[in-house]
Amino acid sequence: MTTLRMVGMDPELEAFIPLFPRADLTDPVTARKNLAELAAAVSAPDTSGMEIEDRTVPADPDVAVRIYRPHLAQGTVIWLHGGGFVMGDLDTEHPWAARLADGSGAVVISVGYRLAPEHPFPAALDDVYAVLAWTAQHAAELDIDPGRIAIGGHSAGANLAAAVALRARDQQGPPIRFQLLNQPGLDDRQETWSARHFTDTPWMNRDKAAQLWRHYLGSAPATPYAAPARAADLSNLPPAYIATAEFCPNRDEGIGYALRLLQAGVSVELHQWPGTFHGSQAILSAEVSQRQIAELGATLRRALAG
C-alpha cells in the first residue's frame, strides 16, 4: 500500500507526512492531545478585522459556540470542526474558523459539539441542530439574515453538516441556504474502493475510519442521520460544495454523495484535489493547501451573496 499512497502525492505535502501523528483513535484522550498540539502549531490568521465572541446556546445540555464577525459581514455559516467525532473543539478549530470568516466575509458560528465515545450519536447532531434553530430564531439579535444561513464543516464536521441538512428538510426546520462539505465522512459501511484500499494513508486510513465509526455509533445501528450516505432520498436538499482528497478513505463516498445529490436534482460543485491527503490543508506552506482554503472562502462568499 505504500506505493499506492505515494505515487502522485504532492511533493510539498509529502515532506510533512512524518510530522503528522499516527492515525489512531484507540485512546481518545491521547488523540485529542495530539490534535491540540497540531492545531497549536498552525499559525493563526490576523483577526484584527473581525469581532470574536464566545456564546452559550441554550439547549439540553447547553452548547458552546464561538462567533466570528468580519466587518460588513454577509451571510452566516454554522461551522463544524473535524476530528473523527472524537477530537477537536473551539480552540483547535480557531485557525480554520477565522480563515473561513476572513475568506468568505460571512459570520462564522463555530460549534463546540459533544464528542464520542463519551457522547455517541446523536449527541453531536442534536447539539448542531440546536445551534441551527437558535441561529434562525435569534437572527435579529445576531444581526444576520435568516434566509442566508449555510452549514459546513471538515471531515466529521462535514458529516454533521450533511446530516443537519437532511434533518432540517425532514422536520421542516430552519431553511439552509448551502452546505459546504470538506472531505466528508458519510458512510460507516466502508465499502468504497478508497475505503478498502487506503490502509496506510497519512492521518486517516481504513483502520482509523473504522475506529471513529465505532466510537460515534456506540451500540446503535447507523441511520441516515448518522451516516448520510445511507439516506435513500437526497432530493430537496440545499445546494452543495463537496471537496475530496485523493489519498483519503473518505474520497469515494464524498464523490458518490455528490453524484447522488446531482441525480436528485440538487446543484453541486465537486472538487477532487489531486495529490492531497485527508487534513493535508493544515500544511499551510503548500500551494495546494492555500488554493483549498481560498476556494472554501470564495465558494461560501458566492453562495451567501445577494
Side-chain angles (χ1 to χ4, degrees):
M1 281 306 163
T2 303
T3 304
L4 181 67
R5 168 166 68 92
M6 303 310 289
V7 172
M9 180 73 75
D10 184 291
E12 288 188 288
L13 301 179
E14 191 171 353
F16 283 85
I17 289 173
L19 303 180
F20 271 67
R22 191 165 63 91
D24 183 28
L25 288 177
T26 305
D27 179 355
V29 174
T30 299
R32 288 168 192 158
K33 178 174 173 287
N34 289 339
L35 180 63
E37 290 173 354
L38 198 66
V42 175
S43 60
D46 178 13
T47 57
S48 59
M50 66 183 76
E51 298 173 12
I52 302 176
E53 178 189 11
D54 285 340
R55 294 280 297 265
T56 300
V57 173
D60 185 19
D62 294 348
V63 186
V65 296
R66 186 168 295 168
I67 303 174
Y68 300 75
R69 187 182 298 273
H71 184 57
L72 299 176
Q74 187 172 52
T76 304
V77 62
I78 295 167
W79 186 249
L80 312 170
H81 66 78
F85 308 107
V86 170
M87 305 174 286
D89 55 31
L90 295 178
D91 293 333
T92 62
E93 194 59 20
H94 173 73
W96 311 110
R99 277 185 178 82
L100 187 64
D102 181 60
S104 67
V107 174
V108 173
I109 301 178
S110 183
V111 182
Y113 57 83
R114 283 172 288 173
L115 299 176
E118 296 90 341
H119 305 284
F121 174 83
L125 178 64
D126 288 344
D127 290 351
V128 177
Y129 198 80
V131 172
L132 170 66
W134 173 82
T135 302
Q137 289 163 7
H138 293 81
E141 175 203 337
L142 294 167
D143 192 26
I144 63 170
D145 181 348
R148 285 195 284 169
I149 298 173
I151 191 151
H154 297 299
S155 190
N159 165 297
L160 292 168
V164 164
L166 286 166
R167 182 167 161 183
R169 177 199 66 181
D170 295 345
Q171 298 180 3
Q172 290 79 53
I176 296 173
R177 176 77 166 258
F178 191 75
Q179 47 183 331
L180 190 71
L181 311 181
N182 190 45
Q183 301 175 6
L186 301 167
D187 198 340
D188 65 295
R189 293 166 291 193
Q190 301 294 286
E191 293 170 354
T192 67
W193 187 94
S194 61
R196 289 183 290 109
H197 285 80
F198 289 146
T199 59
D200 194 31
T201 37
W203 188 237
M204 176 66 74
N205 57 37
R206 180 177 177 82
D207 287 347
K208 186 176 182 180
Q211 288 175 327
L212 69 86
W213 281 110
R214 282 196 297 271
H215 287 316
Y216 185 50
L217 294 173
S219 59
T223 67
Y225 292 163
R230 288 180 174 270
D233 177 13
L234 299 184
S235 62
N236 300 311
L237 287 168
Y241 169 90
I242 298 179
T244 57
E246 182 173 359
F247 300 105
C248 171
N250 299 353
R251 182 193 70 193
D252 294 352
E253 62 206 62
I255 294 170
Y257 198 72
L259 292 173
R260 290 186 56 220
L261 283 169
L262 284 167
Q263 291 158 1
V266 177
S267 182
V268 177
E269 179 174 355
L270 171 64
H271 195 144
Q272 155 48 37
W273 290 92
T276 63
F277 61 88
H278 192 91
S280 63
Q281 67 194 42
I283 302 169
L284 294 172
S285 59
E287 190 223 359
V288 66
S289 300
Q290 294 165 22
R291 289 170 53 214
Q292 286 175 287
I293 293 165
E295 184 167 291
L296 288 174
T299 298
L300 194 58
R301 184 183 291 272
R302 287 195 306 272
L304 294 174

